[in-house]
Amino acid sequence: MERLKKMGLRRSFFAVSVLCMAAALLLTYGIYQFCAKLYDRYPHYGIAITPDGVVTVLEEPTPEQERIMKCINRIQLLAVLIIPVSGLGLAGILFYHLKLKEPIAILKESTERLRMHQLDFTIPEVSADELGQVCAAFETMRAELLHTNQELWRQAEERRRLNAAFAHDMRNPVTVLKGYVDLLEHYVPERRISPEKELEIIGMLRGQIQRLG
């Protein structure tokens, strides 16, 4: 079995098919010979001629014996038809369980976990055949996706820190400007420019502060 697991899919399928067909043909031959010997135990119609030329009339079988002989013939025919086909079916079942069942189940489970964005798992090494190579390729893809997601998460965290730092650096000068504007509005002791011009300047300052905010 271990040797079959190490073979490629085509070679292993050929080997399993040959073994199953050989076993089926041997079984068919055994059943056929057993039925033939059993059939010869019953009397037959006709005559028998010995090497000496003596002619002997064979005993006729009874109706019960005829029914048994017909059943034996049917068994021989069914064995020839059914057992080789069953051997092929058995070869397919064995090939599926030995070579296909485990990697297909692993690939289905891995696909479902990848679809749900779960990357914290490992795809085991199944065999050295074609499906084993597919599983290895899935494992490589999973590792690359995990690395990419970790890199994207790191970049997102870096952007978040940069945005927070930028917002903090912008908040301080905006706050200072607001304080100075309030001083200009309420605590200017003497006016060297016209009130209209002062209001215009203050309005421009507030506009720029809002724009910065």
Side-chain angles (χ1 to χ4, degrees):
M1 294 300 176
E2 291 297 327
R3 188 173 181 180
L4 283 175
K5 288 185 177 181
K6 294 179 181 179
M7 291 183 181
L9 293 180
R10 286 180 294 181
R11 289 183 61 191
S12 58
F13 180 74
F14 178 77
V16 171
S17 299
V18 169
L19 290 175
C20 289
M21 283 302 298
L25 291 175
L26 287 175
L27 181 60
T28 303
Y29 178 77
I31 293 175
Y32 190 88
Q33 290 297 321
F34 175 78
C35 290
K37 290 180 179 181
L38 188 63
Y39 187 85
D40 289 338
R41 294 180 181 179
Y42 294 95
H44 303 283
Y45 293 104
I47 60 175
I49 302 175
T50 63
D52 299 333
V54 179
V55 177
T56 305
V57 179
L58 298 176
E59 181 185 357
E60 294 185 1
T62 63
E64 181 66 24
Q65 290 174 335
E66 286 184 351
R67 284 194 295 270
I68 294 175
M69 293 166 68
K70 287 180 180 178
C71 289
I72 292 173
N73 289 330
R74 292 194 187 98
I75 291 173
Q76 286 179 319
L77 180 61
L78 290 175
V80 172
L81 294 177
I82 293 177
I83 294 180
V85 176
S86 301
L88 285 176
L90 179 62
I93 293 172
L94 288 176
F95 179 75
Y96 173 78
H97 281 277
L98 290 175
K99 302 294 291 184
L100 303 180
K101 183 177 181 180
E102 184 180 1
I104 288 176
I106 290 174
L107 291 174
K108 287 177 65 176
E109 181 184 359
S110 302
T111 302
E112 183 64 22
R113 297 183 74 170
L114 288 175
R115 189 182 65 83
M116 298 175 66
H117 304 288
Q118 297 178 0
L119 301 175
D120 54 342
F121 68 98
T122 302
I123 300 175
E125 183 179 353
V126 181
S127 61
D129 59 18
E130 290 84 345
L131 281 177
Q133 295 173 6
V134 173
C135 291
F138 256 71
E139 171 61 20
T140 302
M141 180 182 68
R142 182 206 64 82
E144 288 296 328
L145 285 175
L146 179 61
H147 175 73
T148 302
N149 282 3
Q150 290 174 344
E151 185 65 21
L152 290 174
W153 179 261
R154 187 189 64 78
Q155 293 177 1
E157 286 294 313
E158 186 67 24
R159 284 196 299 269
R160 186 184 63 80
R161 288 194 295 268
L162 287 174
N163 290 338
F166 183 75
H168 177 74
D169 291 342
M170 290 292 293
R171 194 178 296 115
N172 289 335
V174 169
T175 303
V176 172
L177 285 172
K178 285 182 178 180
Y180 278 116
V181 169
D182 291 338
L183 288 174
L184 285 173
E185 286 181 333
H186 298 96
Y187 301 107
V188 176
E190 57 183 26
R191 301 178 183 275
R192 298 183 180 180
I193 56 176
S194 62
E196 293 81 9
K197 187 64 175 176
E198 183 179 342
L199 291 175
E200 181 183 352
I201 294 172
I202 293 173
M204 291 173 61
L205 286 173
R206 283 201 174 276
Q208 294 301 318
I209 291 170
Q210 292 176 359
R211 184 178 179 183
L212 287 172

